[in-house]
Amino acid sequence: NAGVTQTPKFQVLKTGQSMTLQCAQDMNHNSMYWYRQDPGMGLRLIYYSASEGTTDKGEVPNGYNVSRLNKREFSLRLESAAPSQTSVYFCASRRDRRQPQHFGDGTRLSIL
Amino acid sequence: AQKITQTQPGMFVQEKEAVTLDCTYDTSDPSYGLFWYKQPSSGEMIFLIYQGSYDQQNATEGRYSLNFQKARKSANLVISASQLGDSAMYFCAMREDNTGNQFYFGTGTSLTVIP
């Protein structure tokens, strides 16, 4: 019962380094999402993909890129990491409009 | 303007008592959905309950119920018979159908259940 799998779970980067956060879901969901969670801010949407082949910006897209590789996988890339991108990142997926999002366990990212 | 407002940063409730967590929302879309999630200290996001804007009845799921007042744009979560395991952060979220697939989350309420 994997659901939504995120890798890695923890990562420490230096300013200016790049990395890709991976997300895969095995529930045949159409929509996938990337959020960041900061203390006192709740979850803020970075990018989402309504279906395979489409991606759209959310509330806080600057500094990030995404790829919807196929229906299962949705990756988030930081091209040049900045300390302001230190956060917990959640991937989520959803089957259709009335269904809730299913979340991965999160990636805790620290940028020094 | 905030799409979702949760005005209670922290709440305390006695074990076995009921507690209401407040959520107000802002939308001009006539079709939308409201969700509540629980985030325990372990960090995962757990879906609790859903209410659609056209649903006639308030949603209920076990000890959770959603007090949906459409005219007031509020969607408060009621937890009955609180248990120690209910101690967690609780997030209200909204999906607007005309914006497709975007979700908006509130800043959350931290609930502590006192034995």
Side-chain angles (χ1 to χ4, degrees), chain A residues 25-103:
Chain A
Q25 52 92 7
D26 62 1
M27 296 173 283
N28 202 35
H29 286 174
N30 291 313
S31 304
M32 297 187 72
Y33 305 79
W34 275 105
Y35 292 91
R36 59 179 289 172
Q37 185 178 26
D38 303 295
M41 301 286 288
L43 276 77
R44 292 183 293 168
L45 182 64
I46 305 170
Y47 271 94
Y48 65 99
S49 171
S51 60
E52 185 179 353
T54 69
T55 60
D56 286 286
K57 295 178 180 179
E59 182 184 356
V60 288
N62 291 346
Y64 305 95
N65 286 301
V66 290
S67 296
R68 182 76 182 266
L69 304 169
N70 47 55
K71 192 170 186 178
R72 289 187 64 247
E73 298 172 290
F74 189 39
S75 62
L76 178 72
R77 183 159 178 85
L78 288 71
E79 289 292 350
S80 179
S84 61
Q85 294 177 305
T86 293
S87 189
V88 179
Y89 291 84
F90 284 98
C91 178
S93 70
R94 182 168 70 104
R95 190 181 74 202
D96 58 41
R97 188 169 63 90
R98 284 186 66 91
Q99 298 301 311
Q101 294 176 320
H102 296 257
F103 284 83

Side-chain angles (χ1 to χ4, degrees), chain B residues 13-21 60-66 77-84 86 90 111 113:
Chain B
V13 65
Q14 205 75 39
E15 194 178 6
K16 299 178 185 174
E17 297 291 313
V19 63
T20 298
L21 306 184
T60 60
E61 288 287 347
R63 294 186 299 110
Y64 304 108
S65 60
L66 201 152
L77 177 70
V78 180
I79 305 174
S80 63
S82 297
Q83 302 172 355
L84 296 178
D86 294 334
Y90 288 81
L111 177 67
V113 180

